[in-house]
Each structure stands twice: as C-alpha cells, then as structure tokens.
C-alpha cells in the first residue's frame, strides 16, 4: 500500500478556497484579490509539504528495505536447518553449511541437487531431467533420516531474460517419526487363547496325573507369554486373555507362534496331544473392540480345525499353524443342540431353500437332499438352488428324476429362487461358507435367516451373521453332519431309499470310500443311512465313469511330473464338460504312486484355471492353495485362479509349494 502524499490529496481544499475567492471577488474585488493570493500561497505550501513528507517517507522505506535485507540475509545464513538455492534445472547456486554437512560435501555449487538427494529426482521420463516438483511438507530420505522438504519459487528478470530461483529447505523429522514409531510399537494387542481339546486331554489322562497335566498346560502358556512381556489372565479353565504391546507381538509372529509347538510337546501322562487355538486383534483398538475382534479370530481358528492362530490384519486374516489334522470330537452335544435349533428355525419359516457351492459335487447335492427331507418332515415348501447340472452329479439327478419326481421339481434356478424368497424364509448353505462361491450369491442379500452347515476349514471370507453356524472341519463331509443332525431332529428321520443313497454318496465321495477322514461318527452316520435303506451298489452306480473320462484320467496320470522329490503335478488339457471332476479323480490316483505325498492337477475352463490338490496329510494342500485364494482341508483342497495362462498359474503353484516347504510346514 502506497502512503505517499501528492497535491491531489489537497484538491478539495484548494477548490473550496478558489470558490471562496471568486465569491469575495464578486462581493468585493479587493477582498477577492487577497483571497486569490491566499489560495496560491496555500497551494504552494501544500505542494512543498507533500514533497518533503514523501522524501522523508521514501528515506524510511529505503532504510527499512536495507534493514530487512540484512535481517533476511542474516536469518537465512543462520537458519538451523539445511537450505539450498538452485536454478530452474536444479543446479545448486548457493547452500548453507548445514546442507553441506547433511550431504557430506563441501563446495557443492554447480552440482545437480537430485544427485545429492536422489529422492528429489524425476519420477517419470516425461518430466525430463532435473529436480521434480515436491509438495511442501513431503518427506524425503536423506542419508538414513527423514526430512520434510519445502520449496519456494522466485521468478525474476536477469539480463533482460526471465529466470527462476528455487529455495529448498529441509526439516529433520526423525524425532516425529521416532515418536510415531514408538506410539505404534507400544499400542496394545489383545489375544484370546483356548485349549482346543482340554476336556478330552484331561479325561484321557490317568486320575493321578490329571492335576499335573492341568498345571503343565497352565505353566507353559503363562511362562511363554510372560517371557514376551505380556499380561496373562486365565478366565476359564481352558481360556486365557493376553494383553501385550505390538513390539512384543512382532517376535512371536516372526517365530510363527512357537507356543503351538510347545503345547503340543506336553507329555504329562496324557495319551492325547494338547493343542490350542488363538485369535489376535489389530493394534490400537479400544480394549472392548480389541477383545471382540480377537474372539472373532478365535472363532475363525476353531472353525478351521483348531491348532492354529488367526491374526487380524488391516483388511484380511493371517494364519499360523494348522499343521495337524482336525481331531474328531467325542462330544455329540453340539450336533444335538444345533439339530434341534435347525428344526425350530424350519418350523418358523414358510419356505426352506438349500444351496451349495458353484459346480456342486455329491456332498453338496446330497446334503441339500437331506435338508429337503427336514423341510418335508415339517410340512414346509423346500427348494434346491442349482444353476445347472455337471458330470459329477448328472447320474444322481437322472435317478432323482426317475425315482423322486416331486423332489426333482424342487430344483430351481437362482433367479427363480430370488422371486420366491421372502425375508422370513430360511436359506441353508451346505458344503460351503463363502458367499462368492455359492451357486447364486445375490440371494444372500434377500434374507437375514441364513444357516451354514459345512465341513471345510473356515476361510477369511464368511457369511455375514448367520443365524445358525455349524462348521466342523473334523467331519468327513457335510452329508455326515446333515445325517447326524437329522437323527437328533426327529425320532424317525423317514428317509426314502434315494435320499439315503444321496446322503451316503456324499460321505463316500469325500472319504474316498471310507479311506480318508473316516472317523467313528462317520461310520455311525453311514450306519444310520444303511438302516434307512441305503444301497451301496446303487451308490456306486452314481460314480460310474464313461470311456472318455477313464482315458482322460489315465492321460493326466501318464503326463505327471514329480517336483521336490515327492510332489506330483500334472494338467488336464482341453475343456471337457467334466474336466474338474476328472482333475480331482486324477489327483487322487496320483497319490497311489509310491513315494508321492501330495498331488496337484490343473485344468483350464474358459478364463479360469482350476487346481485340485490331494495329500496323505503330511503336506497340507490346504495351506498351499490358500496362498492362491483357495482352501479346503489338510489333505484335500482346491483353488480357482482367474487367468488365461495355465503355464503362469502352474509356475505360481510351484512357487507356493516352494514357499510352503521353506517354511517347514508339516504335520507333527
């Protein structure tokens, strides 16, 4: 703002004097003449006064400008942080001593700034050479320390040409970063630990050694976590609440929760190995929220079969352990309670819908048939949601159409189910708990009454708030679970011969004719189905293969190659209608080769590569295929990878196997 004065500032006064002089001149010429003379004198005085004031003001401005330049120059040279001035191209024109110390140089004039500080270099070829434009406050690394970078640009004329100077100064943020890191490292993490099989272990121990066994379990858990600076509190006989800092949790994660192995090594007269599961929350949550999250992670760990730890990360779950086979529980109380609860839910629902996974197998369809029997026993409308048939269930559906035409008419598409489904109807998911893997995912949004019955290890994707949840990885099949629930739901389950055969076929296919995961309760379920009229010769008819299937399966086995000494890998070329089934069967047959402990077969259908994995249990195909977005069981798992390049997927699979073997994951 300009505060200097000029004659213009007195125009109003001079005009008034002139008007008065004219008025006086008209009234009295003598007085008018004197008024004109007075006006001229006043104007002259005002002019001289304004010039004198302006000269004084100009001198003050010049003096202030010089003082300001001196202060600015002194301030810049005495700034306690590094500063540097460059031209438009980033060539250093001037720098202070702090900058020279920072980049460990002396006379840096003429050097390019980006060579001294690489983080300031160009990020793309399009921007050309020089120093990139930084956002004020942006953090760059100089040496090993973080610095906030600020830039001021000055445009000016030099030798008649426009030029630009850039002033950079850097503020050390090490203290702030250290404080931020300390805050993160000391943020609290909550863990909930449960001994999976506490009752079974204690019951199996001799009476005289039970107190010693319980004390040993308690001692190992307390000793391990207290050595990690954690607070441990036992709030049930088999459950512990643990609070610790993130910085203390990190070594535990790095050693992959050694407590899992330490607990499993307990030998205090127990004939059953002790295992535990745990859920770990994210850091920085309120204690109540952290406890709820840790408890949810524990549910996931138990749903995956136990003997593992599930850690909640920012957007997913991290799994540790899971190397042991899921142990069959002796207590049938859960099956009875859930069976009665399911019967009550069906009683309250006008209609019952059953849905398996996409491309369903015998276990999914057999379990859905069992659900239809439960609905029929309650006098409810029942529907099976099925997109289309596939070779693995084609024979069963044909027999259903002939022997049970009313049941066959209950099979509807997802779109039709969406039209029929109402909010108070019940939807039962069988042999699957992942919404994206269902036959028709949109229908899950139409009702809140969703029941999950599954025998696969629980993954990170799960149905949101099911009203009833029965996920038991120890079970051989979903058909086993459904059969067991039916026996508790009704005194007489009233299965027809076809329904009994359908449920039996699900057990047979998932146990490989009672050779895999067939426990005591598996045979009890099979016995119940035999009493209901199941005929094994007719069940076998469901699995008969045609000539092309047998030839294709033989080609897969013939073309297999062995990697890592004991893992067979092969692929099924060509998009056959039953290629997924053939791949699974071929993976089973590859296990029959002497020395093979695990097998994988790949098959490409359209733009998806299907992988079938099988093992005897020493190698966890579940953990391997989980790394590729799949899942399943320790000895039987699968994955679907969206890709047009089966070779690339095979390389990805081999890498996943290699990473698994490097981690030393094996059954103990």
């Amino acid at each position: 703002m300009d505060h200097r004065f000029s004659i213009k500032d007195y125009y109003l006064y001079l005009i008034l004097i002139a008007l008065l002089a004219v008025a006086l001149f008209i009234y009295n010429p003598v007085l008018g003449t004197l008024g004109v003379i007075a006006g001229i004198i006043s104007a002259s005085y005002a002019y001289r006064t304004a010039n004198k004031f302006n000269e004084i003001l100009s001198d003050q401005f010049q003096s202030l400008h010089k003082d300001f330049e001196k202060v600015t120059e002194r301030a810049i040279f005495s700034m306690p942080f590094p500063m540097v001035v460059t031209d438009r191209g980033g060539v250093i024109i001037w720098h202070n001593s702090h900058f020279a110390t920072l980049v460990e140089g002396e006379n840096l004039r003429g050097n390019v700034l980006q060579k001294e500080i690489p983080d300031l270099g160009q990020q793309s070829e399009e921007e050309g050479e020089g120093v990139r434009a930084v956002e004020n406050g942006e953090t760059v690394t100089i040496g090993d320390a973080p610095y906030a970078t600020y830039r001021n640009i000055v445009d000016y004329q030099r030798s008649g040409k426009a030029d630009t100077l850039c002033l950079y100064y850097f503020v050390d943020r090490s203290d702030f970063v250290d404080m931020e890191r300390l805050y993160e490292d000391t943020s609290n993490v909550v863990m909930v630990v449960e001994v999976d099989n506490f009752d079974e272990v204690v019951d199996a121990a001799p009476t005289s050694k039970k107190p010693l066994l319980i004390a040993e379990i308690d001692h190992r858990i307390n000793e391990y976590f207290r050595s990690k600076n954690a607070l441990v509190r036992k709030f049930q006989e088999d459950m512990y609440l643990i609070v610790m800092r993130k910085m203390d949790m990190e070594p535990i994660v790095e050693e992959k929760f050694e407590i899992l192995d330490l607990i499993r090594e307990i030998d205090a007269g127990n004939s059953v190995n002790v295992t535990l599961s745990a859920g770990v929350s994210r850091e920085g949550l309120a204690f109540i929220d952290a406890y709820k999250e840790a408890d949810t992670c524990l549910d996931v760990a138990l749903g995956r079969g136990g003997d593992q730890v599930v850690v909640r990360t920012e957007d997913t779950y991290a799994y540790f352990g899971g190397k042991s086979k899921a142990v069959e529980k002796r207590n049938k109380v859960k099956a009875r309670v859930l069976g009665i609860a399911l019967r009550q839910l069906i009683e309250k629902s006008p209609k019952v819908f059953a849905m398996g996974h996409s491309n369903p197998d015998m276990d999914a369809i057999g379990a859905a048939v069992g659900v239809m029997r439960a609905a029929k026993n309650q006098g409810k409308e029942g529907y099976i949601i099925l997109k289309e048939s596939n070779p693995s269930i084609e024979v069963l559906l044909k027999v259903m159409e002939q022997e049970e035409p009313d049941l066959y008419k209950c099979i509807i598409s997802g779109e039709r189910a969406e039209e029929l489904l109402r909010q108070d109807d019940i939807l039962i998911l069988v042999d699957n708990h992942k919404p994206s893997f269902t036959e028709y995912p949109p229908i899950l949004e139409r009702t809140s009454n969703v029941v999950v019955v599954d025998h696969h290890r629980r993954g990170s994707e799960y149905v949101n708030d099911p009203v009833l949840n029965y996920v038991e990885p120890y079970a051989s099949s979903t058909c086993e679970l459904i059969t067991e629930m039916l026996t508790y739901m009704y005194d007489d389950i009233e299965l027809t011969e076809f329904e009994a055969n359908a449920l039996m076929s699900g057990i047979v296919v998932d146990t490989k004719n009672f050779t895999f995961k067939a426990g005591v309760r598996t045979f009890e379920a099979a016995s119940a189905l035999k009493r209901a009229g199941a005929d094994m010769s007719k069940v076998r008819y469901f699995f008969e293969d045609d000539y092309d299937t047998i030839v294709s399966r033989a080609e897969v086995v013939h073309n297999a190659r062995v990697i890592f000494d004991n893992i067979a890998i092969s692929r099924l070329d060509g998009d056959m209608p039953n290629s997924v089934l053939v791949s699974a069967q071929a993976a089973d047959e590859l296990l029959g080769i002497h020395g093979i402990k695990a097998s994988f077969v790949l098959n490409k259908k359209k733009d998806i590569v299907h992988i079938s994995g099988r093992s005897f249990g020493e190698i966890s195909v579940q953990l391997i295929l989980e790394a590729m977005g799949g899942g399943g069981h320790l000895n039987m798992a699968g994955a679907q990878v969206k890709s047009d390049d089966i070779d690339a997927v095979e390389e990805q699979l081999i890498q996943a196997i290699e990473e698994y073997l490097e981690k030393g994951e094996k059954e103990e």
Side-chain angles (χ1 to χ4, degrees):
M1 182 179 292
D2 193 352
H3 293 284
R4 290 182 294 180
F5 292 96
S6 68
I7 196 64
K8 295 179 181 180
D9 296 318
Y10 299 96
Y11 275 170
L12 178 61
Y13 306 106
L14 294 175
I15 291 172
L16 290 174
I17 292 172
L19 291 174
L20 289 172
V22 172
L24 286 172
F25 192 82
I26 295 173
Y27 176 74
N28 188 327
V30 176
L31 292 177
T33 302
L34 292 174
V36 171
I37 294 171
I40 293 172
I41 294 172
S42 298
S44 176
Y45 175 79
Y47 180 76
R48 289 197 307 271
T49 302
N51 284 341
K52 185 176 181 181
F53 179 82
N54 288 337
E55 288 176 2
I56 295 172
L57 188 63
S58 179
D59 291 341
Q60 290 178 345
F61 273 132
Q62 289 179 2
S63 177
L64 180 62
H65 182 69
K66 290 179 181 179
D67 292 341
F68 185 77
E69 284 183 342
K70 290 180 181 179
V71 171
T72 302
E73 182 179 352
R74 180 171 296 180
I76 290 176
F77 279 100
S78 62
M79 282 290 183
F81 40 76
M83 300 184 68
V84 62
V85 178
T86 72
D87 62 12
R88 186 191 301 271
V91 177
I92 297 175
I93 298 173
W94 172 89
H95 63 83
N96 63 4
S97 59
H98 294 290
F99 182 80
T101 303
L102 178 64
V103 299
E104 299 180 353
E106 294 182 1
N107 186 9
L108 302 172
R109 291 185 62 184
N111 293 357
V112 178
L113 180 59
Q114 75 174 88
K115 292 183 179 179
E116 304 297 334
I117 306 177
D119 277 4
L120 288 177
Q122 290 292 350
Q123 291 182 315
S124 64
E125 296 179 358
E126 292 77 5
E127 294 175 341
E129 297 181 355
V131 181
R132 68 180 175 87
V134 295
E135 297 289 340
N136 279 338
E138 178 181 339
T139 299
V140 299
T141 300
I142 305 177
D144 294 326
Y147 282 83
T149 305
Y150 298 88
R151 183 182 72 159
N152 290 314
I153 300 175
V154 179
D155 295 321
Y156 70 101
Q157 296 287 329
R158 184 170 65 177
S159 301
K161 295 182 179 180
D163 205 347
T164 300
L165 288 179
C166 298
L167 170 64
Y168 292 86
Y169 58 98
F170 307 90
V171 180
D172 190 354
R173 291 173 57 88
S174 298
D175 291 342
F176 176 80
V177 172
D178 291 342
M179 186 180 301
E180 186 178 38
R181 185 180 298 115
L182 179 63
Y183 172 77
E184 292 180 356
D185 289 343
T186 56
S187 57
N188 291 316
V189 173
V190 173
M191 179 188 300
V192 180
V193 175
E194 178 178 353
V195 181
D196 296 329
N197 50 354
F198 183 84
D199 292 334
E200 289 83 356
V201 170
V202 173
D203 290 343
T207 303
S208 60
K209 293 186 177 182
K210 286 181 180 180
L212 178 63
L213 175 60
I214 296 173
E216 182 63 21
I217 294 173
D218 190 65
H219 171 72
R220 291 212 180 186
I221 292 175
N222 277 277
E223 183 68 22
Y224 177 80
F225 286 108
R226 284 176 181 170
S227 68
K228 308 295 183 182
N229 300 317
L231 173 67
V232 184
R233 286 294 179 267
K234 183 176 182 180
F235 62 95
Q236 290 183 20
E237 64 177 2
D238 60 346
M239 297 196 72
Y240 299 80
L241 178 65
I242 298 166
V243 180
M244 61 195 311
R245 299 175 299 181
K246 179 187 176 184
M247 61 188 296
D248 296 320
M249 173 61 71
E250 288 175 347
I252 299 177
V253 173
E254 289 176 2
E255 67 185 22
K256 302 187 187 305
F257 291 88
E258 187 184 10
I259 184 63
L260 295 172
D261 299 322
L262 295 176
I263 285 294
R264 209 180 297 117
E265 292 171 357
I266 290 178
D267 184 9
N270 50 299
S271 58
V272 178
N273 286 338
V274 186
T275 64
L276 63 76
S277 294
V280 183
S281 73
R282 288 170 293 176
E283 71 278 0
L285 298 178
F287 283 109
I288 293 178
D289 295 333
Y291 174 78
K292 291 179 180 178
E293 187 169 90
D295 195 46
T296 300
C297 290
L298 175 61
D299 289 340
V300 174
L302 294 172
R304 290 166 54 84
D307 188 27
Q308 58 192 284
V309 178
V310 175
V311 179
R312 187 72 168 95
T313 59
E314 193 62 34
D315 53 358
T316 183
Y317 295 96
Y319 306 105
F320 299 88
K323 299 182 287 186
S324 299
K325 293 181 180 179
V327 180
E328 180 177 5
K329 309 295 182 183
R330 297 181 180 180
N331 193 346
K332 297 182 181 181
V333 174
K334 186 175 182 180
R336 177 176 58 81
V337 171
L338 291 177
I340 295 173
L342 180 59
R343 184 185 67 191
Q344 293 172 345
L345 287 172
I346 293 175
E347 286 177 354
K348 298 176 182 178
S349 305
K351 293 187 290 291
V352 179
F353 294 82
M355 179 169 64
H357 51 79
S358 60
N359 195 33
D361 56 10
M362 287 288 196
D363 191 30
I365 293 298
V369 169
V371 171
M372 292 301 99
R373 166 46 57 187
K376 190 173 183 179
N377 285 354
Q378 297 297 124
K380 304 294 183 179
E381 290 184 47
Y383 299 96
I384 299 175
I385 301 174
L386 178 64
K387 182 179 180 181
E388 59 185 3
S389 177
N390 64 70
S392 64
I393 61 172
E394 188 174 357
V395 176
L396 184 144
L397 292 180
K398 287 181 179 178
V399 174
M400 182 192 298
E401 185 177 12
Q402 295 172 359
E403 297 184 4
E404 298 281 347
D406 292 337
L407 179 60
Y408 185 78
K409 292 177 182 178
C410 293
I411 298 177
I412 59 176
S413 65
E415 291 79 6
R416 177 57 179 160
E418 197 169 18
E419 295 175 1
L420 295 174
L421 185 66
R422 298 294 179 266
Q423 187 62 36
D424 53 352
D425 294 332
I426 186 172
L427 174 63
I428 303 176
L429 297 186
V430 291
D431 202 34
N432 174 48
H433 59 260
K434 298 181 178 181
S436 62
F437 280 22
T438 58
E439 275 282 69
Y440 192 71
I443 203 169
L444 290 170
E445 301 175 0
R446 296 296 303 274
T447 179
S448 58
N449 296 327
V450 180
V451 174
V452 178
V453 182
D454 190 17
H455 72 119
H456 295 101
R457 290 196 178 195
R458 181 169 172 173
S460 56
E461 182 187 0
Y462 200 74
V463 174
N464 186 31
D465 294 328
V467 294
L468 197 63
N469 178 41
Y470 194 18
V471 178
E472 292 292 355
Y474 73 83
S476 69
S477 59
T478 309
C479 283
E480 175 189 327
L481 297 176
I482 291 294
T483 301
E484 197 170 54
M485 292 176 77
L486 286 172
T487 60
Y488 290 115
M489 291 168 71
Y490 312 104
D491 294 333
D492 184 3
I493 56 180
E494 300 179 357
L495 289 171
T496 65
E497 181 181 346
F498 171 80
E499 292 168 344
N501 289 337
L503 286 164
M504 183 70 82
S505 68
I507 297 176
V508 169
V509 72
D510 274 13
T511 60
K512 303 295 180 290
N513 287 316
F514 298 95
T515 59
F516 280 102
K517 293 194 68 177
V520 174
R521 290 169 66 173
T522 306
F523 288 101
E524 289 178 353
S527 298
L529 295 175
K530 284 291 290 181
R531 288 193 296 270
D535 187 340
M536 292 304 295
S537 63
K538 292 186 177 180
V539 171
R540 182 182 178 185
Y541 172 70
F542 294 156
F543 300 99
E544 289 183 354
D545 297 320
D546 57 25
Y547 175 78
D548 292 336
T549 298
I550 295 174
V551 170
S552 299
R553 191 164 62 234
E555 289 179 355
V556 173
V557 175
H558 176 73
N559 295 328
R561 59 192 178 99
V562 179
I563 60 175
F564 304 113
D565 298 329
N566 53 18
I567 298 176
I569 187 170
S570 186
R571 64 171 65 175
L572 174 63
D573 296 321
D575 188 1
M576 301 171 55
N578 61 342
S579 56
V580 176
L581 174 62
V582 174
S583 298
Q585 293 174 343
D588 289 329
E589 289 201 13
L590 286 172
L591 286 181
I593 300 174
H594 180 70
I596 297 299
K597 296 181 179 179
S599 63
F600 297 90
V601 177
L602 297 87
N603 168 245
K604 182 172 173 292
K605 288 181 71 69
K606 297 180 180 179
D607 60 344
I608 296 179
V609 178
H610 297 260
I611 307 174
S612 296
R614 300 291 187 270
S615 80
F616 286 119
E618 187 173 341
I619 294 175
S620 174
V621 292
Q622 176 210 358
L623 293 178
I624 293 172
L625 292 182
E626 273 186 346
M628 301 183 67
H633 295 284
L634 185 75
N635 50 17
M636 182 170 61
Q640 297 179 8
V641 181
K642 191 170 184 178
S643 175
D644 289 324
D645 190 351
I646 191 172
D647 293 326
V649 175
E650 183 173 335
E651 288 300 321
Q652 185 182 351
L653 172 62
I654 294 173
Q655 183 178 356
I657 296 172
E658 186 175 9
E659 291 176 356
Y660 168 83
L661 295 176
E662 287 177 354
K663 290 178 181 178
E665 295 285 356
K666 63 182 180 178
E667 180 186 358
E668 296 190 8

